[in-house]
Amino acid sequence: MTGTDTGTGTGIRLHAPAPGWAIDADVVVVGSGVAGLTAALRCEAAGLRTVVVTKARLDAGSTRWAQGGIAAALGEGDTPEQHLDDTLVAGAGLCDEEAVRILVTEGPDAVHRLIATGAHFDEAADGALQLTREGGHHRRRIAHAGGDATGAEISRALVEAVRARTIPTIENALVLDLLTDTEGHTAGVTLHVMGEGRHDGVGAVHAPAVVLATGGMGQVFSATTNPAVSTGDGVALALRAGAEVSDLEFVQFHPTVLFLGRDAEGQQPLVSEAVRGEGAHLVDAAGTRFMLGQHELAELAPRDIVAKAITRRMLEQDAEHMYLDARHFGPAMWETRFPTILAACRAHGIDPVTEPIPVAPAAHYASGGVRTDAAGRTTVPGLYACGEVACTGVHGANRLASNSLLEGLVYAERIAADITATPRPARTPAPYARPERPAHPLLPPEARFTLQRIMTEGAGVLRSAKSLTRAADRLQHLHDEAREALHEHGKTAEPGVDTWETTNLLCVARALLAAAVLREETRGCHWREDHPDRDDTAWRRHIVVRLNPDRALAVHTTQAADFPPTGQPAQTAQDPSGAVTT
């Protein structure tokens, strides 16, 4: 890869002021969830100068919202091999088996190290971990904390550990772009600090290793379980840096999200899969259990199957939602096992102790992301990715419930091991001069809501060539409007958090659509109405997307379900009919 005078692999970066300050480090970790903080703690323990950059507060990422738990073969009679089998089934033929094997074999020890860090999980009367079961798992292997507050407890423990180690942290900071040296090697990041702390405005952290742990991109849809900070910033940064991303079409829609009305937007309360794991039933308005006969696990089938069944029933009955009935739990179980969900429901005027909970699918988890190898390395030297922003090959076409926290732990530790094993000299970022006028347009903040509605209508649970193409055309119109205003009048939206986030969302949405249009089959959480069958002969492979310097998306496929090494480009097995402009 050849460096450019803009310091990014494609020559494309967000329009922003030049950095007004800079600090030096050996490693900069972007994100403060389970993946980011684990990587930071391991790097710092190895003696590396480590800086954590996080978009909001240190404890405000997606991890704290995880209700379900963390999956690992920790129980009597359970084995990593059984965990592997369940993961492969859920992944619908697209898991990288070696990546999954790493996850399930290293997972139990990683959980014990998390406990040693200070995380407290629920225990049975004999002091052993109290393990539960969730969708797609044939054994009880889910460890919880506080009933349904697992993510909050993990976040608490890791944040306390980071603060105890006095790891430098820059909060309220939106990462902008990757810095590289003249040889294309990672040299740090630019970021904007939102008016709080020691630094303010646009600055830079110079480091030869950057770990992206920025979480998901759920805010690309109108309704999501993701927090407001989940705007795909890491994937967009990686694309501009010239990195490959993969499997973006596989967006998991959580089947049971509290239905707040057809016009509800933004983050919606999640009703954890663990509620079904404890025996709650999915029913329609007449009280009929419609999951019976749909799958051997009924309500505990993998999430894509449950989400599709709910959506089908809604279409058949012209209903806006279905119901989750757990009245038989009784008040004591609700109050002790699911206090967070109980409080959320009651806050919205629903009492699950006495009435069924209205639920509908909403965007929940991105199985795809920045393509990595087993050490978390991306296709850009010195750039790593872990957690939801990454695509390790573990999840395939559909993430198995509660594997995400485990993936964050295991692969963050592997990244830290790789970084510490190879001493890296400091890198000098390639110089760049801010142009007199923006080279590329920023979208106005109000375009965000339009974009979210376009994606929900065209690339939600139900997809087709017609819906996806229409969504792509409408996003193209948004982009064209901004580009024409720039080229004809020299005007673009003012640089700022809202415009940078909206521009990142557009970048990610277009890459997602490019992959979804190309995959002409139904697999996992990618449901094509016009191609309802799974096609292993043509499509048991990954779709890889890369942004070219001419702002076109290069879209191609791997030869097989296992990823090729990140040190070489993926082999083209099938190309779309034309480049997708972004």
Side-chain angles (χ1 to χ4, degrees), residues 97-180:
E97 187 167 339
E98 180 57 29
V100 179
R101 194 170 298 280
I102 288 169
L103 178 82
V104 299
T105 55
E106 297 182 11
D109 286 344
V111 172
H112 287 301
R113 284 190 288 272
L114 178 62
I115 293 171
T117 301
H120 301 292
F121 290 95
D122 297 342
E123 297 178 348
D126 62 359
L129 287 176
Q130 186 175 41
L131 301 175
T132 63
R133 188 175 161 205
E134 294 180 2
H137 293 273
H138 283 79
R139 284 195 175 270
R140 286 182 170 262
R141 64 168 66 99
I142 318 300
H144 291 266
D148 59 358
T150 309
E153 170 58 18
I154 290 173
S155 179
R156 179 205 62 77
L158 292 174
V159 167
E160 286 189 4
V162 165
R163 287 175 174 158
R165 302 286 298 190
T166 63
I167 296 176
T169 302
I170 305 174
E171 296 182 293
N172 302 298
L174 171 65
V175 67
L176 299 176
D177 281 303
L178 189 74
L179 293 172
T180 59

Side-chain angles (χ1 to χ4, degrees), residues 1 32 68 167 185 233 316 333 360 363 493 508:
M1 183 182 303
S32 60
I167 296 176
H185 194 288
D233 307 317
E316 290 169 2
M333 182 172 177
V508 170

